[in-house]
Amino acid sequence: MATQLKQPGPAPRLRVENYLSGDFAKAENQHLWTKVWLVAGREEELRNVGDFLTFNVATESIVVARGKEGLVAYHNVCPHRGRRLADGCGRASQFRCKYHGWTFNLEGKNVLVQDRDDWQGALDDERIDLWPVRVDSWGGFVWINMDMEGESLTEYLETIPEFLDPFELEKMRFRWKAELHLPVNWKVALEAFMEGYHVAATHPQLLPVAGNDYTQSFAQGKHAHFGYWKDMQPIGTASPRLADGGFRDARAGVIEFFRQIEEDLNAIQTDRDFEAAKKIMDVLPEDVDPMTAMGTAIELGRQAAVADGTDYPAQLTFEALAKAGSDWHIFPNCVTLPYFDGAIWYRARPDSRDPENPDKCVFEIWSLKRYGPGKEPEVQTRVITDPFKEGLCLILDQDIANMAEVQAGMKSSKFRYARPNPVQEVEVINFHRTLEQYVLGQAQA
């Protein structure tokens, strides 16, 4: 059941220790990452038997592969002397330790121990196989859980499929991928995308065309979402925060919105949507109302998708789109903003090279798109080690610029706790309440 977590009395507070404490980071490694379902990758990365990827989080490394009977996952460690078996992604018929040659098949079974007779039969076959990890899939994503007991992925996701299944995320493919190494806590990075409250100050260029930027947010169990449900205004019109600045021609406002999202974000809506939106100048009169202009742009985008060999999702009605809202936090470390034929997906985690350092993280951004059969591109991950010198795009660069300043500012002697907005930042509030229940055993936020 959705809750807004707005209660009478003191304003909500978030402990600064959750972001800055090495002890809290260590407790996350012990009590969070090994106990929850985590997105390890996309199914499209594991199409064929033997395809594998590695997923590192905190002190753990997991190898996920396409086995003969489906997806499999194991702790990425040789039981002989502890060397990691795999790195990156690729294809293999077996996993062979490069240290002493112990070898394991895709079912995790040890099939070779060099000079096995030296043990004189003392090796226990069960102990020399790979340690399994639970693996499942939803939305085209591959999920792993290192806790062999507990709730299933379906139980863990709670109401998320009800809201997001209509988007058919499983039919999307990578448009581009980026991996950023940031000098901030993983929560600081993720929370930059968990509320729309920041848009007016951080992305002021959006205000003339984004409609009413005021958001409401609601908890959905462990997860949460926000949307633009109050005093909705059509895309292409100006925010009420502006005294002026909107487009007198609704067609131009709609096209400018699609241009900004395509050229300044390159995600959520697609290049195909932008090109289709431009056509409203030819098919609609100059005095058309903003709602009709936006609706026509969407329909032209759908027609363009059909012409490209795909379509918009059949179950994604305007009612389903409105119900889902604009942005979802999927506990603990993912955020997504989906649309008819595209989506952006964020994933944050501690830097596994220094897993107890609260001032470091790896932050990934995936742009997804529906493609016609065989039209999806070959995508390589763009790795950015200094995102403050190497930019991505205007909107993301604006978000990233806040992060280091937040991490540094929270270390002020005067900053004891954050004060999130009780209406627009429920995603952040609910995040910390749930996080503390895992890490501390009780919520203190």
Side-chain angles (χ1 to χ4, degrees):
M1 179 178 294
T3 54
Q4 197 164 4
L5 301 182
K6 185 179 181 182
Q7 301 173 352
R13 298 177 175 182
L14 306 180
R15 298 164 7 110
V16 72
E17 291 84 0
N18 292 9
Y19 303 96
L20 304 181
S21 168
D23 289 339
F24 192 84
K26 184 176 182 179
E28 286 178 336
N29 296 345
Q30 295 173 339
H31 304 300
L32 175 69
W33 301 113
T34 59
K35 303 296 183 182
V36 295
W37 284 94
L38 299 167
V39 170
R42 290 280 295 174
E43 285 193 88
E44 64 200 81
E45 299 177 274
L46 303 173
R47 290 178 174 146
N48 303 304
V49 173
D51 287 349
F52 74 89
L53 61 84
T54 55
F55 172 65
N56 300 332
V57 59
T59 58
E60 301 290 344
S61 181
I62 307 300
V63 58
V64 187
R66 175 72 64 179
K68 295 178 181 178
E69 304 298 325
L71 294 171
V72 294
Y74 310 102
H75 285 273
N76 184 23
V77 57
C78 180
H80 173 221
R81 294 275 296 280
R83 192 192 194 282
R84 288 185 175 177
L85 297 168
D87 182 50
C89 58
R91 182 178 298 177
S93 59
Q94 57 189 14
F95 299 107
R96 181 177 183 274
C97 181
K98 295 180 180 179
Y99 196 0
H100 298 93
W102 284 32
T103 305
F104 309 85
N105 62 21
L106 293 177
E107 287 68 51
K109 183 75 174 177
N110 187 307
V111 295
L112 176 66
V113 173
Q114 182 173 287
D115 299 330
R116 184 169 184 150
D117 290 343
D118 290 355
W119 277 266
Q120 299 182 21
L123 284 179
D124 182 336
D125 287 346
E126 183 177 351
R127 285 192 294 108
I128 63 172
D129 293 339
L130 298 182
W131 287 278
V133 171
R134 285 198 288 167
V135 63
D136 205 340
S137 62
W138 170 80
F141 296 92
V142 178
W143 301 71
I144 60 96
N145 192 330
M146 290 173 259
D147 186 351
M148 299 305 290
E149 306 294 333
E151 58 192 342
S152 66
L153 177 60
T154 298
E155 293 168 326
Y156 183 84
L157 291 173
E158 299 174 326
T159 61
I160 285 176
E162 173 190 341
F163 289 90
L164 296 188
D165 275 354
F167 289 90
E168 297 181 347
L169 295 171
E170 68 279 2
K171 294 185 179 179
M172 297 183 186
R173 299 292 181 265
F174 286 121
R175 186 179 179 191
W176 56 264
K177 298 187 287 183
E179 175 183 300
L180 287 70
H181 293 257
L182 295 166
V184 304
N185 189 268
W186 67 275
K187 296 179 287 295
V188 167
L190 194 68
E191 289 169 12
F193 306 94
M194 287 172 60
E195 40 83 8
Y197 185 49
H198 73 279
V199 169
T202 299
H203 311 298
Q205 77 278 2
L206 292 174
L207 296 185
V209 294
N212 191 346
D213 61 291
Y214 183 86
T215 62
Q216 294 171 292
S217 51
F218 298 89
Q220 297 284 348
K222 291 185 288 290
H223 320 288
H225 65 151
F226 78 72
Y228 299 86
W229 294 294
K230 185 178 180 180
D231 300 328
M232 294 177 63
Q233 289 183 209
I235 294 296
T237 62
S239 166
R241 301 182 195 276
L242 300 181
D244 195 7
F247 285 78
R248 293 181 180 179
D249 185 336
R251 301 171 302 172
V254 168
I255 293 170
E256 174 60 14
F257 173 80
F258 277 95
R259 185 204 67 77
Q260 288 194 27
I261 298 303
E262 172 57 26
E263 295 183 359
D264 298 340
L265 181 62
N266 200 19
I268 310 178
Q269 282 93 10
T270 69
D271 51 341
R272 191 168 52 215
D273 295 315
F274 177 38
E275 292 303 315
K278 294 177 184 178
K279 297 179 181 178
I280 64 175
M281 295 297 291
D282 300 322
V283 302
L284 294 176
E286 184 177 348
D287 61 349
V288 69
D289 64 276
M291 188 67 75
T292 300
M294 184 61 187
T296 303
I298 291 173
E299 172 57 22
L300 291 171
R302 188 195 67 79
Q303 294 175 14
V306 171
D308 204 25
T310 181
D311 199 348
Y312 279 9
Q315 301 303 313
L316 189 56
T317 62
F318 285 107
E319 291 76 15
L321 188 73
K323 176 182 176 181
S326 299
D327 177 290
W328 276 85
H329 171 233
I330 301 176
F331 185 84
N333 67 326
C334 290
V335 166
T336 187
L337 288 81
Y339 183 66
F340 287 103
D341 66 340
I344 196 166
W345 191 279
Y346 303 101
R347 181 175 70 174
R349 50 195 162 130
D351 191 327
S352 60
R353 296 171 299 182
D354 196 2
E356 294 181 6
N357 187 338
D359 292 335
K360 290 184 179 181
C361 78
V362 174
F363 186 67
E364 291 153 292
I365 307 171
W366 299 339
S367 179
L368 305 174
K369 176 184 172 180
R370 290 172 74 101
Y371 289 94
K375 293 186 177 181
E376 61 268 27
E378 290 289 332
V379 175
Q380 299 295 321
T381 300
R382 178 181 173 187
V383 178
I384 299 176
T385 57
D386 190 347
F388 305 108
K389 292 183 178 179
E390 181 181 353
L392 272 171
C393 56
L394 175 61
I395 292 176
L396 292 174
D397 290 348
Q398 289 172 325
D399 289 313
I400 293 165
N402 287 327
M403 296 177 185
E405 298 301 325
V406 169
Q407 189 73 13
M410 287 192 299
K411 296 179 181 180
S412 166
S413 62
K414 298 301 183 183
F415 189 83
R416 302 297 178 85
Y417 47 81
R419 301 166 175 83
N421 185 312
V423 175
Q424 300 192 62
E425 296 183 300
V426 170
E427 280 195 31
V428 179
I429 298 168
N430 191 60
F431 174 33
H432 282 262
R433 290 188 179 187
T434 307
L435 177 70
E436 289 175 354
Q437 288 170 347
Y438 276 90
V439 176
L440 304 176
Q442 59 181 334
Q444 297 184 17

